[in-house]
Structures are given as structure tokens and as C-alpha cells.
Amino acid sequence: MSNLTYGQVTKDIIRPLFKPSLLHGLALVTAIACLSVGAYCWKLQLEQGLGVAGYEPPVMWGVYITTFVFWVGIGHAGTLISAILFLFRARWRTGVYRASEAMTIFAVLTAGLFPILHAGRCWYAYWLFPYPNQRQLWPNFKSPLVWDVFAISTYLTISAIFFYIGLIPDMAATRDKVKGFGKRVYGALCLGWRGTDNQWRHYMAAYGFFAALCTPLVISVHSVVSWDFAMSSTPGWHSTIFPPYFVAGAIFSGCAMVLTLLIPMRSLFKWEDYLTIWHFERLAQLCLLTGAILTYAYATEYFIAWYSDNPYEWGTFIYRPTGDYAWAFWLMVSCNCIFPLALWFKKVRTSLKWLFIISLIINVGMWFERFNIIATSLAHMFDPGAWVYYLPNRIEMGILVGSFGWFFMWFLLFVKVMPSVAIAEIKEGVRPPLKADEVTT
Amino acid sequence: MSKMNRRDFFRVVGVSGTAGLVACDPKSPAEQLYPYVIDPEEITPGLPTYYATVVEGCSVLAKVREGRVVHIESNPNRENAGVSPAAQASVQETYDPDRAQGPQVGGAAASWDEALGTIAAAVAANPAGTRWLGRYRTGSLQALISGFVSGLGGQNAHWEPHGHSVLANAAKIAWGSSAPPAFDMSGAEVIVSFGADFLHTWSDSGNHCAGWAQARSKDNGHIAHFTAIEPRVSNTSAKADTWLSTRPGTEAGVARALAKLVADEKGSTGAAKAYLAGVDVAAAASAAGIPEEKLKALASAIASKPSVVFPGGVTTYGSDATDLALAVLVLNQVAGNVGTSVLPDGNPLGPIHSYTEAMDAVGGAEVLFIDGLDPVFSSPSGAAQEVIAAAKLVVVFGNSMPEGMPEGTILLPPGSELETWGDHQLGHSFMALQQPAMKPLYNTRSVGDALLSLSKHSQIAPLLANGTEAVPTDDDGGSSTTDFAAADFQSFIKGRWNNMHVASGDVAPFSSAWVQALRVGGINLATTPVSAELKALPAPGAATLVDGTTLLLFSHQNLLDGRHANKAWLQEIPETLSGYTWGTWAEISPATADRLGVSNKHTLTIKSASGSIEAGVSVSKGMRDDAVAVVVGNGHKTGNRYSKDYGANPAVLVNGLRDAKSGEVAWLGTSVEIAKGAADNIMSKLNGHTDQDGRPLARASYVKDVEEAGPDAETGSLAPGLGIPLDPRIPEDSYDMYPEPEHPTYRFGMSIDLDSCTGCTSCQVACASENNIAIAGPEQHRKSRYMGWIRMDAFWEGEGDNPDVRFLPVMCQQCSHAPCEGVCPVLATYHNLDGLNAMIYNRCVGTRYCANNCPYSARRFNYHTFRWPESYNLMLNPDVSTREMGVMEKCTFCIQRIRYAKANHRANGIDVVPNDVLESLPACVSACPTGAMTFGNLKDENATVSKIASGPRAYQMLDALNTKPGVRYLTKVVHTKPVDPHHGGGHGDDHSSNDNH
Amino acid sequence: MSANVKGVFAHLDCLLTGIDRLEKAGFKDMIVAAPLPRHEIEEAIYKGEPSPVRWWTLCGGILGGSLGFILSSLTALDWPMAIPGGKPLVAIPPYIVIVFECTVLFGGIATLLGMLYYCRIPTKSMELEVCDPRFSDDHFGLVLKDVDESRREEAATILSGAGAIEVTPQPEGDAADEPTEDKEVADVE
Amino acid sequence: MKIILILIGLGGALLGCQMDPEPYTADEAFPKGQHILFPPAGADHVTAGHTTLGDPDYIEEQPLMFNHAIHSGAVEDGGMGMECTYCHSTARHSASAGIPSTQGCWNCHKQINPALSMNDDRNWTNPETGEVERNASGKGALETLDEYCGAEMGTPTCVNEDPIPWNRVHDLPDFSHFNHSMHVRLGADGEPRVECQECHGAMQEKMVAERVSSLLMGWCLECHQDHPSVDENYGTQSELRRAELKDCYTCHK
């Protein structure tokens, strides 16, 4: 990067903004189309009741919670990269962290829809928040679902703030580049940032603290989500390994999603200088690591189930690979444990094509991991007299598609209006202009 | 916005995810209050009134709220309390949205005068051509019918498709008695059945259930052993300790062989000796495919112990049905049961005819009256059609038009039994009085009233001889009379009862006796035993054996022969063994299923010489490889919205085969071809998996352990599975992170005896009726969305000739450490001071976490806002709210009844409700015909439930989870030693002969 | 009468030299604008004295944590008969989660407020004298506020002497361009 | 080019709207309520628990201008001082207080100065206005009663079949259960544990029924938490009783 100069950086990164491009436009339209499909399905569901979805009691949770956990998981990589790697001073983060943070925000935004979508009477969902009312009723703070409400809303708030203050200097830079109305807008958005010594000083301090706050938050959020399952008595859920297992899975899927997003963006915006193979290889290594942890977690689950000698637990774990849901189980195993092994080879790690394919595979696999956990356990609970075989139906699938539409719509809009690579931080990585250099040359 | 309702406003903002702060308060049209014009003195708004009456042959109390019957309670004045599902569903007969609301002539509505006029004219044209084809009737109605028809010189025939004509015929041949014998198994130690579904659909099942409970109770000093000898495991033989699977058609031979063996041990005389001479035991055994020594062992058990042997039923009645019944009677005779457990009796019941007799009788009818039958539907291949078509005019007494009636048929709706007067003889010794519990909803007249007004018609009256009975002047004005001049059927009945009263020699004034009868629901009849001398018996005929696949038919547990198919509850409640609803299924053995490559997901095409049907598959361990069993009851082409076009009618498969001696339809003996059907099975099993995979859910105790156990025995298979199994190395208080919540006054609990539970579904219907449980319908059942709060699991634990099926009714267990409570984010469910696991519907947001976390899968979720069609809504219980979409619901131990009891007692200054009141408080408990359930306050150690719940057979389901449930189960008693009683049990060392005693 | 002196630098080391010399010459109250945070600048001006934002974070966290616990316990005690799953009214383990989340939430918000407060943003009118599009791109700015008539000349000279590519007001005559003593600058590596 | 994109978008949206829902049986056998997202005002939708809650001094125009003041007002105020439970007779022993039947009114009114014919002078005249209080159709109270009763003066029983369609003023949501007898039955001091007026207001001073309390859950709770009659009647048990009174199952069904 040493051939870059500050001016070059600013120019390159602000270049793609507001330039309509066919590919981008098509993508956006497709996203909105998907969204409308989901919206229509939800309308039907609101009018006629959850019955339009394919639930088969006692499988009371299905695709919606699966997708909720999936998106929350996606939401992890962003903050991990921006916060934890910031604390670890991992330099490769600077190129990718803005985009992955945006991904986080929108993923959590998407995830947040699903508890509402899934509630039988979502018009009363606000009862889960503590607010004074004449009934003198409050939520049950002992319920993991209320923990969820707190965890998710906190996570969304904090990472949104973190994201925003990260954007401030870059929006200031954009302000100084664009003309007319845009100038006013960015001027307002960057809160009148001037980049004076005093501002930079407090800014850097605050940024550090946010990174420090986000780090435990990242870990906690998915732990809390995992407790939705681990805190229950259901065989296949009632396990102490869930928090680390879920967090690892989340980072795994998150990194995969970052790859899925950045690889096309790089070629679309000509950012080869900022998103180099070197960045992607680091991400791939992270995937490899977390994937290995995940595989280990699967194995441990089986060992514990067998070792506990608990007929219900073991029954469920036998049921997963052999029962009705064997297809889902083996799909999960191959996508999450087998295919990612290709990342051991540098050739694969450094080939964008292969990275992209594998990242897609991982995304699919991780969705099925959650489906596998939820559906199989509930379909095969304690009392055989209540065993069923649940499969999602079109409404649920429509809403799943809709959620992707929702996510990509926001993301695509974002990359067109905001600098998706951190200008200031890239500059930190560039050798500053020195008189000394010029004298010597 | 200002016109917008506050809730809606919150709903909208709720959806958009932000809690609203504004509450705008519109006026919307208020509800109206309609007081009475003149208030009836017996009705207090808000309080129920009860009327003792009889519905579907079951003596009950009808619970009435504000003039509507809302529930059918068991009648506490009868010793065998309990209500059959059909009796409870009579409420739905009353509120049937599609029933005829007045007379119809040729499908068009008509007035009673028009209809009766038309009939009178037709009858007057040729009185002797009057024919009556009716169901089995007793009491006053029977007298009136015979009086009317014979008065006109016509003929009346009474046929029940799955009735007792064969047994009646056999009893006549054997003893010359006019009625079939009654069976009392309460004292028996050995129970044998040749295919009679005596606990469910066969004859007086209510009494049989009570008898079963007694025979299986330890208090009798012994626990009876039940052997079922039939080709299929029915709901009754599912309770059998031994199932001797016979080749279809060979049962009569087996019965004779058994009789022979018993006779050889105990000796026999006269007719029996003659009858049994030359019976070849070995041949019979081999023909049936039963090891001879098993027969011998069984015979010696019968000979040495008090026993009872039941004859056959629909499944085993072939062309030699009467011979089977005869052989069984002889067997009982030689075993010395006659007079003790088999009671021939002289009380004339109503006449019963076989199919052939009935058809002959009504042949060549001028005017044909059809009463309460669906002859074309029930007759083999609809053979009755021709006879009916031959009649000039057909008059139907029924709430809807039966199948295959000719043009111009007149329909006279009799209304429901809850709206009308009547009396019925139950068994031999009880005359039940049926009084209207509510005003008729529509322009209907009971059969009796219709007949009376017909007999008064100017064209008919002259034809009828008056005053068939002389009426003593009774002390309430002599208004009552039994001749056709009776003002109405009520006074007709009153007259006959007056006669009975006088005849009984009771000196008390009749009016008081009448009032008493109204209060308790009837009077006991003096029974006159007849001589039990066997007459000379005809030689047995040959059985028709079928090569290839034999068709077995059986009556649906609740729909019986199809007459109850119009009642939504009985269609909605899963049939206990198959778990199927709203349709017709065929049972085949696993081997057959493999051979045809079908499973429960598929259908089966069943083809016979006379027709073919498609039915869903139910693979059952209790089936032979050489037979297929099809349930009768569905496949109606007419009827109401709940009976029409569900399933198929297997009667079309049955050919012209008849029972040689009685002329009854030989339901057994049709040869069929079965193949995989084209369509998929649209029914889904609602009782999940029928093998409990060795999980200790429905547990068993070995009979010896139970019989020898002291009060607090913990030996062998008796393990009081109460609470988490303790480990001596761990201090006891360290099992719980938190202490058990305290219950100051009550800890409500329930005990359920899995041994006496026959899986009759009474509790489920009672629950549906009491708690306004939604009728989800087949669409929802396809997604396993059954809304009933009690799930009846049926687990097959046994193998081969030891079926050991365990019926396990699972409802909310009201845990003290309930997994569901802690996870509810809005405290819609929580543990209250009475130990109840409260569920507040309108606080529920519908996250469904509670249901996921319930180890018993006892919670139900409203996936839609289920509603009730017009006039079904009249049967809703006003004390229970109906649930809207998105709300969780579950068993509440009938909180409304508890609340009501508490309020009543507080009003009288009693702060704690006494045990005897609590004991049968919930609807399910009070409806249970075997008394398998008990309710009460576990905090009070004197309460019955506490005593039972601490007994040696008591255990808590999934106790290892330490949820501290309030429901205690009592283990099933098995006659085969369980291998590991704590893990299911029942498997293992196969049934050996010494288990017979 | 006093006015500002403004220098625009294209090179970081020149800027640092400028800061250095001005301080030596006893100038106070200077504002440096930069397109990116450079530790050298912060060092040069604040001599490593930490930002007070951390106190806001701490207080916010403590406040949030205690609020979380008070909320969950008091609401439970408010309806004493609702016992979910046999847990006591105030069950510590489940409440830890609530406490944690509230701590982070309030801590974060407090940090944000602290930062906004000290950075004097959001604002429209702040330090317009350093308002220059180049400062967010690739130039550094150094502004001396309210330098009085007498010393303005001197300041301007120092700035241009340090290598500012543009100084307002222009010093009369070009000052002898002495080479900048090379400041050690942390390079990217 | 942009237009093409927009078209594709619309196409996608339409495509989405073509998807038909899972079989939703609105059939006659298994009817289901449909949930109207934005119901028109006053529309009956599936969550209609109740709508006039939370509105104290809610008042309804009544078909018959019955005058509570005259009947139950104190004698010195020109009333007849009748007990509430004289007409609302089931309040003491049933959940519902009961609205008197037409015959119930008639039993007395058939005898009230039979000399007068059925015209205004039998109707009550409001002393303040000097006007006869009339209902929507301009009928006075007794005129209306005569109409609904349909009987001749002096004849004992009503003949008209249709009841008086009172408008409900105190209406709880269908999911809650209120038992009058538990509240108004006599306590230790021989007085009703809760006076009718505590919830219904000084009805003996009002013309037509008027609601003085919100009937919201919070309002019920106030009494269930600290109504003096609990201490008076339960003494040592009162703590337990209060807890029971706060059990959701006390009111929710």
C-alpha cells in the first residue's frame, strides 16, 4: 500500500458513491422483490394466524427461530472484526471492518424482526419490554426470552453507535468532497466534525472504550441466544456447551458472510488496493479456526449425550443422523465440517472464486445447523406419543426469502451512500507525507 | 386514529415494534342485556341447574345454564358413575347445525299436520301394509310402537347393525330365555372374550367398565387375568394379558374345545354333555393355530377359578355366529358361571331381530316407518335398498335423512333426547327416565309424540283398538293414560310408570315415586331369574374359512356402527389404538405392510366380490398376516357437515353371507384383495409413536408383586417413582437449587390408574365439552394440531400373544417446578398458591417457549382463531373463555369448577373445600367410567388422592426430571414379569402357562 | 486587536516542527486539524495526558448495572405470588444477565455522550477558521488563535519557516528557509 | 434503463403477491376468525375483548328511562329507599347481579295508582326541569314499561314476548370472571363486604346507570390489594387471603 497517498485513498473510496451501476441496480431490485414476497406472506400470517405456517406441534419453533439465530450469528463477525481485532491491533481489519460492521447492523436488524414474526400475537410483543402500566404487570426477568430482548436491543444499540462514530470522520471527508445538497447532508451527519487535535484525542479514547465494551457484548449476545435453548429441558438443547459452541458458530457464519459480501464488492468497486488477497486469506483462516471449533463442539455434544446415559438425550442424538431429519443433519455436517477443510490449502485460501463458493456453502450449512438443533429436538421430545415430523411450508420459506431481501436491500443502499472502507484508518496504514522523504530523494 | 380502538392501536404499534404511549378511548356499540320477561323460578342467572335423565343408554345429569344444556355429568345416584363419550356428545346432537328443524315431505319443509295427514292417508289405504323398521327400543316407546303397528295389523322389526341379536338368539336356543344374558365380571378371576369389544362398543359397556375396574383391583383379593381369543387386538383386547390369535372363523371351534376341556375337568351333564361329545380339541386348536397346551392351561384356569366368558362380536361373527355364542354359553354353563357372572334374566327387553328377519318382516310394505336407523348405510352392500324402494311411502324418524331413501320420503325429526320425554331399560334391572332438560330448539316431536298425534288422526283413530292397558286412578288427577288417547308421550309414560308403581306393590303415593324417579333418573326393577337349564342344542354348523386375506370389521370406538358420525367431538377425538380421526382406516400387520410396501402414510385398496374401498393404513402389531381389519362408522353419503364424505363405508365389501341359525349378517367371512392405494393417507396418527423405546413413561408392575405387596412395599416391579431417584451419597436437600413453592391451603393433584384405564376417551370428550376446546378438524389434524388437552398415548410394549398395550392419558401435570413457567417472558403462566400451573390466556403473547419446554408435550397452541358454527356455539361453557389465535392453552384441572366450589363453600363459611367434593370435581374425573382417575388435595393426607398417590404402584411421569408433578400415575399390572420395571417393562420372557393363575 | 494565524502543511514532519517551534516561542492556544489521528500530534500537544471520557464510561456502567438489578428485583417483588418454575422472587443467577446487559448499554451511551461533549459536537459553527476541505483529505492545518498584532508577523514567519505550504497572513519577505530538523515519525510498519 | 429496473421490481412484487396461502378453511364446519389488521372503528375482530374499558363516567342511552334515584334514593330525598338487591336479586348468591324481569317491574307498577290511564301523568317528571324524562323515541319511563309489558293496567302478568333491550354499562371483558356474590355477601359486621356503591357509584342519586369506575385491571387490583374488608373478615388469615386475591386465577378464566 505504500504507493498510496492520502489524497488517492480519499478519492478511491469516495468514487463509487452515487454512481448508478447496472449490476448494483439489478441486485437492489431483486432484493426488494424478495422482500415483497416475505411481506405478503407475513400479511397472510397476521390475518389468518400462525397456522398458515407449517408448524406441527410439539414443534412450536421452526424456520422463524432458525432464521433468527442465523441472522444473529451473521451479526457477530462484524463486531468481532471491528472491536476485538481492534483491541488486538490486527492491521488487516482496517480494510474490511466498515463493511462487516454494516453487515452486523443490518443482520441484527433482520434478526430483530423474527421474534416478532414468530410471536402468536405479535401485536402484544411490546409486553416483553418493562414499562409501567395500569395492570401492574412486568416481564419475567427470569425468562431467557427477556434476556434475549435485552441482549439483542443492547447489541443493536451499542454496535449502531460504534458503527456511527466510526463513520463520522469519513462522512466529514465525504462532505468535503461532494457538492451541493450532499454537502449539507453529510455536514449534518458528521455532526460538524473538523478533525482537530482535541476531537481526535477524545474520539480515539471513546473508540477504544467502545471496542472494549463491544468485546464482551459480542460474546454475551450469542451466549444469551444459546441459553434460549440451553436453559430448557428439551433433549438436545439442555447442554452447557451451547454458549461457546454458538459463539464459535456465529463467528464462523459471520466471516463466511463477510466473504460473500466483500468478494463481489471488491470487483464491483475496483478496490483491489484496499481489499487484498491478504485480507481474504486472514478471513479464510478465521473461518478455518472457528469451523474446527464447531466440529469439535459437535463431537463433544455426542460424547456428552452418550456419557450422560440419559435415554432421552441419547435418543435425540441418535435420531438426528438416522431419523427423519438425517438429510438435514448430513447436509449440516458436510457444509460445516467437510467442505471448509479445503481452506487448509493456500491455493483455495487465495482464490477468490473458491473462497466465494465455500463461503456460500458455509452459510447454507449454518442455517441448517440451527434448523437441525430446533426441529429435531422438538420433533423428538420425551414422550414418543407426541412425536411428529415437521417440514417448513411455503409461507415460512417466503418469509425466509423476504429476510434476505430485507438484509440485502439495506446493505446495497448503504454501500452506495456511505464510504464502505474506513478512509481515516486506511490512511493510518499509509506512510504519511514527509518533507524528509522528498529531501532525500 | 381517534375512532380507532385502543387495543388495535397498541396492536399496530406493537407490530411496528415500539410501545405506544397514547391510549385513545372510543365509544363502540355496547353489548345488550336481555332480562327475562317473566323469570322462571328454577333458573338463577349465573348458576347451573341439573336434570337427571338418560341419553344414549347412559343415566346422566344434564347441566343447564340459562336454559341451555352445556354439559353432561355422570349421575351420582347410580353406583356405576361415569359417562360414555356418546352420551356426552348428545349435546352436539341437540345443537347439530344441520339437523332437520321441522317435518319434511320429499325434502321440502312441511307442517306437522300436512306430514301426518299424508301419512295417515297412506296408512288408512292399507293398514295391514304398515311396516316398522326401527332400532332396538325398550320401555314406553317400544310399547307404543308395538301397540300402534299391531293395532293396525302391520309388522314391526327392530334391527341393530352391530347389535345383540345373535346372542339373544343363542340365549333363546340355550335356555329359552327371552333376553340375552347380562355379564358381571366384578367377581371373576379369569376373563375370556371371543371378540366381544365389551369395554367399549359391545352391549352394556358402562357396567362392564365398572366391573373391569373391580375385577382388576387388589381390594378384591386378586387381579383378574384376561385372555382375548380373536384374530385382532381390539381396544378391549388391548387390555388383555394374553391374546390367542385365532384364524378368522375358527373361534366357535375353539370355544367348543375349551368347553370340552372344562367339562372334562368339572364334568358335565345332559345337553352340555351331548353337545360337547365328539369335540376334537386338537383339531380345533390346530385349525385356529393355537398351541393345544395353551388351551388346556386356560381351560384349567377357567375350571378352577371364578370366571366369565364373553361371546363374539362383529369381528368374530361369521356364518356360524350363533354356534359361537352357543358354545360360549355352554362353556359358561360347564364352568359354573351361569347365575354368578353370566346372568340369564327374565325381564323382557325390547324385541331384537336379525337382519334377515327384519328384512323379511318389512318386505312388501305399503307404508314403511324407519326409526333411528340408516339401513342402506348399515346393510351389507346396501342390500336394504330394494326392500325400502318397494314401499309406497317411507316415513323416517330421524334428525337428518338417511342414505338411499326414495323420492317423497317423509322425514319426521324427533329432536334430541335432551329435549324430549322417554324411558329406557338399561340392562336388566334399571328403568331410566328421560326428561327434557331444555325446550326443543326447533319444531320437532319425539317419536312417541309423533305416533300419538298420528294415532289421533281422524283416519287412523278408528283403526286402533283403544285402552290397551287399564290405568289405576293415581293420586295426581288420573291425567295419565297409556291408551292412544294420552294427551302426549309424557302422560303416556307417566301412565305406564303408574302401572309399574302399582304392580310393584309400593304403597307410597305414585307422585312421590315419580318425583323420586325424576330426581335420581329412574327406578330399579325387580329381576326375575329364569331357570338356567340347558335345552337340547342343535349341532354346530360349519364355519366359513377364507383362503387369502379375510376382511374383519369392527365398530368405531366412538362412532359405533356410524350412528354417531354426525357429532364433531366423536370424530375429532383420536381413536385410541390407531390415533386416527375423521376417516376410515384399515389395520394390517407389519408383515403385510412390508409385503405391500405400505406404511401409515399410504392408503390401501380393499377389493371384494361386491365392491371396493380405499382406506388409510394403520400398521398394528395386533393384526394377523392373513387378515385386514377395517373400521365401520364413516363413509356416510348423507348426514350433517361432520359426517358427510369422510372416509369410506366398508359395508359395501360384505357379501350376502348370513349366520345360518339367526339370519344375522355374517360380518366375518368375506375374502378380499388388498393392494397399495393410489392416494396418500390424508389422516395423520395423533398418538405419535406407538413404542415407548424403553422410556419409563407408562410403567408396569408384576401381578405377584402387587398382590403380595404391603402398604409401602418397594419390591420387584413396585418402585414408587416419586421425585428424582435419590443417591445416598448426595445430601437430599442438594437436589433442588430452590425450595419447593409453598402451598398454604391446597396442593391439587390427580391420580390415574393405568391398569383400569381402558382408553375409552370419555375424559377427552368431557374435557372438550367443559373447556370449550376448539374443533380443529381434519385440515389441522393433518399437521398434528389436535386441540384436546388430554392426549391418549397407546404404547405397545408386548410381543406376540402378550400385547401389553399401555394407555397413558397425558394432560398438564401441574408441576411444582414447572419448566414451562420459568421461561414465559410475560408471566402468562406461573405457579399459584393452590399448586396449579396457572395459564392466563389473555396475557399470552404466543412465544410458545413454554410448550417447547414442557417434557409432557401437554400444551396446545391456537394456530387460528377457532370458532364454532352457528348453534354449536350454544353448547359453550360460559365459565370458560374461548381462546383466540396466538394463545397457548392447556389443562387447568377445571379451574372454573374449583373456583365455583370455593365460592360456594366460602359463602357457607367453609374456607377449605372438603375432599368428598374435590374427589370427582374435574370433568374428566367425573366422566371416567372405570373410576381410574381421582382428584383432590395432596396436602391433606386423608384425601383419597393422597392415599392412592403414596401407594406402592404410584409414580410420577418423568420423575427423573424432578419437575415435581401434581399428577400421579398408578402402574399397569402385567401378568408377565417385566424385565426392567423401571424402563417400560413388559418385554422379555414370553408368556408361559403358569401365568394364568 | 488580535486575529488568527493559519498555516497549511502538506507534510507531517513540517507540521510537527511547526508545533515545536511555536511552543518554544511561547505561543499558546493552537488548533491542529488532520485527516487522521496521529499520535505524534497528540503527543506534541497534550504530552500523553489521557482523555476524561473514561470516567463517563465508568459511571454509566455502574449506573446501568445497578438500575438493571433494581428493576428486575423490584418488579418481581411487586407481584409476590407469581412464582415461575419454583424460583424465588429475587433469583440472582438469572438477573446477572440483565445486570450485564444494562451495564454495557448505559456504559456505551455514556461514552457516546462524553465524547460528543468533549468534542463539542454536534455543532454548526465550531472553529470555522480550521474549516478547509483539504484538512479532511491530505493536508494538515495549524491555526494560532487570537495572536495580537505585535506577534503575528513572528508566528507567520515560524510557520512558513517550518515548511507550511501556505500561511495567512503572508509574512513580508520570504523567511530564510531553514531545513526542518527531522522529526522521527512512526511509519506504517 | 432505470425504467427497466423499476419494471423488474414491480414484476417481482407481483410475483410475490401471486403466492396463495396454505389452505385456510373458512368452511362452514370449522370456521375460523380472521384477524383484521386495521379494523374499521367498532368492527368486531378476533381480539375484541372489550372496548369501552378504561372510560369512567361511561354512560349509555337506555331504552327505558328508569330512574334509580326514585327507587333507591333515601326517603328524605324523595326516594323510596329500596335495597339494590330488591331488584338485582341474584347479586347475593350468584355471579351475576341480575336485571329484573319486565314482570318484576310490573308486579309493583301494575298497582301504582291504577286510576291513572297510560299517559304522561304516570311518568316521572324531573322536578328541576319540570319535564318528563323521555327515551330516544320520546316515551316516558312508564309508557315504555307498559309497552314492553303489553298488559292492561291491573292485569297480573306481562303478555309481550320481547324483553327490554337494556344497554350494558358495566361490561367486563369475556376473559375475566366477576362474582357478585363473593363481593356483596355479608361480612363479619353484618354489612356487605363491599358496598354496591364502591364500584357502581352513588346509583341512588342518579337517573340512568352511569359508570364511575374504569373497570380496568389496575382498578380491580387496588381493592384486591388493600380493601379493609379483608382484614375485617379474615383476621390472621388476611395475609394469605390477600395473596389469593392477587392470584390471576381469581378473576381470569
Side-chain angles (χ1 to χ4, degrees), chain B residues 526-539:
Chain B
T527 55
T528 57
V530 295
S531 73
E533 274 311 305
L534 276 181
K535 299 187 161 24
L537 301 170

PDB file of all heavy atoms in Angstrom, chain B residues 526-539:
ATOM      1  N   ALA B 526     -87.355 -55.135  39.775  1.00  0.00           N
ATOM      2  CA  ALA B 526     -87.123 -56.434  40.407  1.00  0.00           C
ATOM      3  C   ALA B 526     -86.716 -57.411  39.313  1.00  0.00           C
ATOM      4  O   ALA B 526     -87.349 -57.469  38.266  1.00  0.00           O
ATOM      5  CB  ALA B 526     -88.402 -56.898  41.088  1.00  0.00           C
ATOM      6  N   THR B 527     -85.605 -58.126  39.504  1.00  0.00           N
ATOM      7  CA  THR B 527     -85.170 -59.065  38.470  1.00  0.00           C
ATOM      8  C   THR B 527     -85.737 -60.442  38.767  1.00  0.00           C
ATOM      9  O   THR B 527     -85.757 -60.887  39.909  1.00  0.00           O
ATOM     10  CB  THR B 527     -83.640 -59.163  38.442  1.00  0.00           C
ATOM     11  OG1 THR B 527     -83.215 -59.516  39.759  1.00  0.00           O
ATOM     12  CG2 THR B 527     -83.024 -57.842  38.051  1.00  0.00           C
ATOM     13  N   THR B 528     -86.211 -61.087  37.724  1.00  0.00           N
ATOM     14  CA  THR B 528     -86.775 -62.431  37.918  1.00  0.00           C
ATOM     15  C   THR B 528     -85.879 -63.436  37.215  1.00  0.00           C
ATOM     16  O   THR B 528     -85.928 -63.569  35.995  1.00  0.00           O
ATOM     17  CB  THR B 528     -88.182 -62.501  37.297  1.00  0.00           C
ATOM     18  OG1 THR B 528     -88.032 -62.145  35.909  1.00  0.00           O
ATOM     19  CG2 THR B 528     -89.123 -61.521  37.970  1.00  0.00           C
ATOM     20  N   PRO B 529     -85.019 -64.139  37.976  1.00  0.00           N
ATOM     21  CA  PRO B 529     -84.120 -65.117  37.346  1.00  0.00           C
ATOM     22  C   PRO B 529     -84.907 -66.252  36.718  1.00  0.00           C
ATOM     23  O   PRO B 529     -85.949 -66.643  37.231  1.00  0.00           O
ATOM     24  CB  PRO B 529     -83.272 -65.609  38.514  1.00  0.00           C
ATOM     25  CG  PRO B 529     -84.051 -65.298  39.733  1.00  0.00           C
ATOM     26  CD  PRO B 529     -84.891 -64.105  39.434  1.00  0.00           C
ATOM     27  N   VAL B 530     -84.403 -66.733  35.586  1.00  0.00           N
ATOM     28  CA  VAL B 530     -85.071 -67.877  34.938  1.00  0.00           C
ATOM     29  C   VAL B 530     -84.211 -69.111  35.155  1.00  0.00           C
ATOM     30  O   VAL B 530     -83.023 -69.008  35.469  1.00  0.00           O
ATOM     31  CB  VAL B 530     -85.239 -67.633  33.428  1.00  0.00           C
ATOM     32  CG1 VAL B 530     -86.160 -66.471  33.209  1.00  0.00           C
ATOM     33  CG2 VAL B 530     -83.891 -67.411  32.780  1.00  0.00           C
ATOM     34  N   SER B 531     -84.785 -70.257  34.949  1.00  0.00           N
ATOM     35  CA  SER B 531     -84.025 -71.492  35.134  1.00  0.00           C
ATOM     36  C   SER B 531     -82.904 -71.521  34.106  1.00  0.00           C
ATOM     37  O   SER B 531     -83.105 -71.154  32.955  1.00  0.00           O
ATOM     38  CB  SER B 531     -84.944 -72.684  34.896  1.00  0.00           C
ATOM     39  OG  SER B 531     -85.195 -72.774  33.512  1.00  0.00           O
ATOM     40  N   ALA B 532     -81.711 -71.887  34.522  1.00  0.00           N
ATOM     41  CA  ALA B 532     -80.560 -71.896  33.624  1.00  0.00           C
ATOM     42  C   ALA B 532     -80.299 -73.306  33.116  1.00  0.00           C
ATOM     43  O   ALA B 532     -79.165 -73.726  32.962  1.00  0.00           O
ATOM     44  CB  ALA B 532     -79.349 -71.345  34.338  1.00  0.00           C
ATOM     45  N   GLU B 533     -81.371 -74.078  32.924  1.00  0.00           N
ATOM     46  CA  GLU B 533     -81.211 -75.434  32.391  1.00  0.00           C
ATOM     47  C   GLU B 533     -80.985 -75.367  30.890  1.00  0.00           C
ATOM     48  O   GLU B 533     -81.737 -74.711  30.172  1.00  0.00           O
ATOM     49  CB  GLU B 533     -82.464 -76.265  32.700  1.00  0.00           C
ATOM     50  CG  GLU B 533     -82.418 -76.916  34.075  1.00  0.00           C
ATOM     51  CD  GLU B 533     -81.100 -77.629  34.312  1.00  0.00           C
ATOM     52  OE1 GLU B 533     -80.751 -78.488  33.476  1.00  0.00           O
ATOM     53  OE2 GLU B 533     -80.395 -77.292  35.284  1.00  0.00           O
ATOM     54  N   LEU B 534     -79.919 -76.013  30.442  1.00  0.00           N
ATOM     55  CA  LEU B 534     -79.683 -76.046  29.006  1.00  0.00           C
ATOM     56  C   LEU B 534     -80.723 -76.912  28.323  1.00  0.00           C
ATOM     57  O   LEU B 534     -81.078 -77.979  28.806  1.00  0.00           O
ATOM     58  CB  LEU B 534     -78.295 -76.616  28.720  1.00  0.00           C
ATOM     59  CG  LEU B 534     -77.116 -75.651  28.798  1.00  0.00           C
ATOM     60  CD1 LEU B 534     -75.848 -76.379  28.469  1.00  0.00           C
ATOM     61  CD2 LEU B 534     -77.320 -74.489  27.855  1.00  0.00           C
ATOM     62  N   LYS B 535     -81.259 -76.406  27.242  1.00  0.00           N
ATOM     63  CA  LYS B 535     -82.155 -77.238  26.436  1.00  0.00           C
ATOM     64  C   LYS B 535     -81.289 -78.034  25.440  1.00  0.00           C
ATOM     65  O   LYS B 535     -80.084 -77.821  25.343  1.00  0.00           O
ATOM     66  CB  LYS B 535     -83.133 -76.333  25.691  1.00  0.00           C
ATOM     67  CG  LYS B 535     -84.002 -75.500  26.624  1.00  0.00           C
ATOM     68  CD  LYS B 535     -85.055 -74.760  25.834  1.00  0.00           C
ATOM     69  CE  LYS B 535     -86.219 -74.298  26.695  1.00  0.00           C
ATOM     70  NZ  LYS B 535     -85.929 -74.128  28.119  1.00  0.00           N
ATOM     71  N   ALA B 536     -81.944 -78.923  24.744  1.00  0.00           N
ATOM     72  CA  ALA B 536     -81.209 -79.695  23.732  1.00  0.00           C
ATOM     73  C   ALA B 536     -80.668 -78.741  22.679  1.00  0.00           C
ATOM     74  O   ALA B 536     -81.377 -77.859  22.206  1.00  0.00           O
ATOM     75  CB  ALA B 536     -82.152 -80.702  23.076  1.00  0.00           C
ATOM     76  N   LEU B 537     -79.394 -78.877  22.352  1.00  0.00           N
ATOM     77  CA  LEU B 537     -78.756 -77.890  21.484  1.00  0.00           C
ATOM     78  C   LEU B 537     -78.559 -78.449  20.089  1.00  0.00           C
ATOM     79  O   LEU B 537     -78.222 -79.629  19.924  1.00  0.00           O
ATOM     80  CB  LEU B 537     -77.405 -77.500  22.074  1.00  0.00           C
ATOM     81  CG  LEU B 537     -77.481 -76.907  23.478  1.00  0.00           C
ATOM     82  CD1 LEU B 537     -76.101 -76.778  24.083  1.00  0.00           C
ATOM     83  CD2 LEU B 537     -78.180 -75.577  23.464  1.00  0.00           C
ATOM     84  N   PRO B 538     -78.792 -77.620  19.079  1.00  0.00           N
ATOM     85  CA  PRO B 538     -78.587 -78.069  17.704  1.00  0.00           C
ATOM     86  C   PRO B 538     -77.109 -78.290  17.412  1.00  0.00           C
ATOM     87  O   PRO B 538     -76.246 -77.679  18.052  1.00  0.00           O
ATOM     88  CB  PRO B 538     -79.139 -76.918  16.879  1.00  0.00           C
ATOM     89  CG  PRO B 538     -78.948 -75.720  17.752  1.00  0.00           C
ATOM     90  CD  PRO B 538     -79.162 -76.200  19.157  1.00  0.00           C
ATOM     91  N   ALA B 539     -76.830 -79.140  16.484  1.00  0.00           N
ATOM     92  CA  ALA B 539     -75.431 -79.406  16.128  1.00  0.00           C
ATOM     93  C   ALA B 539     -74.841 -78.174  15.476  1.00  0.00           C
ATOM     94  O   ALA B 539     -75.529 -77.456  14.742  1.00  0.00           O
ATOM     95  CB  ALA B 539     -75.372 -80.584  15.158  1.00  0.00           C
TER      96      ALA B 539
END
